Amino acid sequence: MSVAAADWLPSATVTASGRPVLSAGEIERHLLPLADLEPEENPRLAPLRGCLLALTSHRLIFLHEPSLSARALPLASIVHPYPPHRKNSHNPLRSLFSSSSSSSSHHPRIRLQISLPPSRSEVVAVVVTCKADVDVFYGRLVEAIRARAWEVAAAAVPAGGGASVAEGAPPREDLAIRMPVVGVSGILRKEQETWESAGQNLQDAFQDLNALMSKAKEMMELAEKMRQKLLTNQSNSGDEEMGSKQDMQDLLLSVGIVSPVTKETAGALYHQQLSRQLADFVRVPVERAGGMMALVDVYCLFNRARGTELISPEDLLQACSLWDKFDVPVMLRKFDSGVKVIQTKTHSDDEVFARISSLAQKPDALKKGISPTDAAFTLGIAPALAKEHLLNAENKGLLCRDVSPDGFRFYINLFNEIDPQNIYLTKTHGVYHTWISVATAAH
């Protein structure tokens, strides 16, 4: 059954790479590669088949990857979840000879009592049709329902926090009469006081750390809201405001990903979901960098956005290699020199070659040539990537290279302008004529 037919559930937004779009404060908790949603009592409700199931702090999202469509079951509508069980698991002989029954009956099922508008109670079952630890998924589902994060996010967090004792107040032990340390009992009492003091200090330290983590999460969510607002209002802004808003957007872009994909939440889907999240994340920075970024720059930018959930270079390479299987707007490219970059699929080398050729035909470039720094300034990219474009243009026969102690200098290829039948013929037009004029004026 298609996702569109299950109109009794609200739809969920999906990114271009196939990742569910999370709302403000929503965190991804667990992923199941393959699951169904079956109504158990009402046949008028259309089931969902063959979906990737994402458990978040707010919803159960059933994502149909081939069609990039999704439906969501809000956790707020779940009245009671029942522990997972297998049908026919109590009788092996019955399960052996029940070939006529549905194949889904052999898979673990998590029954959910839900409340649908208007005030209608239904019973549905999440059928896990893949190899997964269903008990872990059920445990995290129960934790998410009990946490009620959709209510916590809406509630105002009181400023400050911390202990109720005023800052600078004397410790409690200073208000009591100190007993002298005498004999074995005194030594034991002193040792106990030391341990109690160390335990209190450790508890206070963890309270401060939890407060810091909570504030950091709030700042990440605030930055995400501001970035989305800037992207929405960017088209309505004037030229005077555009520069400052772009600077602010660049700053907020690297603040953090609210719900990064981790091995704990994604399990066997870790690299697949990491690949999709990376494609969504890197699209805007790559476009703003001229359509291409060095892989090492992407690695630093992506890890900075993930905060404490860092990934290894091997994970990044494996995530990029999976882009060939997905319909994403970016791709991994390797130059002949071995430099790896990430570029948009709309990036055209012919357009870059045209800009380089135009730069190399300027009078000053005809005399002195162009350096990777000159090309980087014109193309708006890093000098290392500009050098790769120049070497690529040389391989295409557009440029000639001169290596000197000062570095590489590239010139327009004039051999294409020379007539092999009459190499001494002086042309009165074209690039060759312009070069002759510039060289003559220089002497």
Side-chain angles (χ1 to χ4, degrees):
M1 183 68 65
S2 65
V3 174
D7 54 359
W8 55 280
L9 290 176
S11 61
T13 309
V14 181
T15 66
S17 65
R19 286 274 302 166
V21 178
L22 304 182
S23 59
E26 188 174 12
I27 304 297
E28 194 172 274
R29 300 295 302 273
H30 199 81
L31 289 175
L32 290 178
L34 208 58
D36 301 338
L37 182 64
E38 297 180 353
E40 290 208 339
E41 299 177 350
N42 191 348
R44 291 177 297 178
L45 300 181
L48 292 171
R49 305 288 187 190
C51 296
L52 181 147
L53 177 54
L55 168 64
T56 72
S57 56
H58 293 47
R59 299 174 291 174
L60 281 172
I61 303 176
F62 295 85
L63 173 60
H64 188 250
E65 294 181 306
S67 61
L68 290 182
S69 56
R71 293 283 178 177
L73 176 62
L75 297 186
S77 65
I78 300 179
V79 179
H80 183 74
Y82 296 90
H85 72 285
R86 287 178 178 268
K87 285 188 176 180
N88 302 331
S89 60
H90 61 282
N91 192 339
L93 294 178
R94 182 180 178 184
S95 63
L96 179 64
F97 296 104
S98 59
S99 58
S100 59
S101 62
S102 173
S103 61
S104 62
S105 64
H106 303 283
H107 297 293
R109 304 169 68 89
I110 301 176
R111 297 173 67 247
L112 305 174
Q113 182 183 352
I114 62 176
S115 176
L116 298 178
S119 302
R120 189 172 87 249
S121 179
E122 299 285 352
V123 177
V124 297
V126 175
V127 184
V128 182
T129 57
C130 62
K131 292 183 178 180
D133 194 334
V134 184
D135 293 328
V136 172
F137 173 79
Y138 174 76
R140 292 179 180 176
L141 173 62
V142 173
E143 289 176 0
I145 295 175
R146 291 176 178 174
R148 307 188 72 84
W150 56 91
E151 296 178 356
V152 176
V157 179
S164 58
V165 180
E167 183 178 357
R172 190 173 303 172
E173 61 179 3
D174 292 343
L175 302 179
I177 300 176
R178 291 180 176 269
M179 298 296 295
V181 180
V182 178
V184 176
S185 60
I187 295 176
L188 293 177
R189 186 170 64 252
K190 180 65 176 178
E191 190 71 18
Q192 182 180 0
E193 291 177 357
T194 302
W195 280 106
E196 290 178 353
S197 177
Q200 183 64 34
N201 292 336
L202 187 61
Q203 183 178 359
D204 294 341
F206 275 108
Q207 287 180 352
D208 295 339
L209 181 60
N210 292 334
L212 178 62
M213 295 287 288
S214 176
K215 293 299 179 182
K217 179 182 176 182
E218 293 176 15
M219 292 303 297
M220 289 168 59
E221 295 175 358
L222 177 62
E224 180 67 18
K225 292 180 182 178
M226 294 178 64
R227 187 176 72 88
Q228 294 295 337
K229 187 174 182 179
L230 285 175
L231 290 173
T232 304
N233 299 334
Q234 190 172 7
S235 58
N236 302 326
S237 303
D239 295 337
E240 297 180 357
E241 301 179 2
M242 189 63 66
S244 60
K245 286 193 174 184
Q246 286 181 350
D247 294 340
M248 180 63 71
Q249 183 177 329
D250 291 339
L251 178 62
L252 296 177
L253 185 65
S254 60
V255 169
I257 299 175
V258 177
S259 182
V261 174
T262 64
K263 292 182 179 179
E264 181 182 2
T265 59
L269 298 177
Y270 172 64
H271 287 102
Q272 180 194 111
Q273 294 300 313
L274 181 67
S275 176
R276 295 181 185 273
Q277 188 173 65
L278 176 61
D280 290 330
F281 172 82
V282 81
R283 179 181 59 84
V284 174
V286 168
E287 289 178 352
R288 295 178 63 85
M292 180 180 295
M293 283 186 69
L295 189 61
V296 63
D297 295 336
V298 172
Y299 177 74
C300 296
L301 187 64
F302 191 53
N303 260 341
R304 181 170 63 177
R306 289 177 62 88
T308 57
E309 302 293 343
L310 304 180
I311 64 172
S312 65
E314 291 76 13
D315 288 339
L316 182 71
L317 281 175
Q318 190 165 349
C320 293
S321 64
L322 293 177
W323 284 341
D324 295 336
K325 301 179 181 179
F326 309 137
D327 185 17
V328 295
V330 291
M331 58 179 289
L332 179 65
R333 177 181 179 182
K334 183 178 180 180
F335 285 101
D336 294 338
S337 62
V339 174
K340 294 181 179 180
V341 299
I342 293 178
Q343 69 176 40
T344 60
K345 289 184 177 179
T346 57
H347 179 81
S348 173
D349 282 346
D350 294 336
E351 181 181 349
V352 175
F353 292 157
R355 298 176 65 181
I356 291 177
S357 179
S358 176
L359 174 64
Q361 293 181 38
K362 293 183 177 180
D364 189 57
L366 290 174
K367 291 189 298 182
K368 301 179 181 179
I370 58 176
S371 65
T373 304
D374 299 331
F377 183 79
T378 300
L379 300 176
I381 58 178
L385 296 183
K387 181 181 178 181
E388 297 298 329
H389 282 304
L390 292 174
L391 293 173
N392 200 15
E394 179 193 10
N395 293 334
K396 297 294 183 180
L398 300 177
L399 301 177
C400 292
R401 177 180 19 145
D402 177 53
V403 182
S404 67
D406 296 332
F408 287 2
R409 306 292 297 187
F410 293 85
Y411 298 84
I412 195 70
N413 186 7
L414 296 176
F415 292 101
N416 296 330
E417 301 286 331
I418 298 177
D419 185 1
Q421 305 298 327
N422 189 355
I423 61 176
Y424 299 104
L425 176 65
T426 302
K427 294 184 178 180
T428 58
H429 61 278
V431 180
Y432 186 82
H433 174 70
T434 305
W435 177 76
I436 290 293
S437 302
V438 171
T440 304
H443 292 289

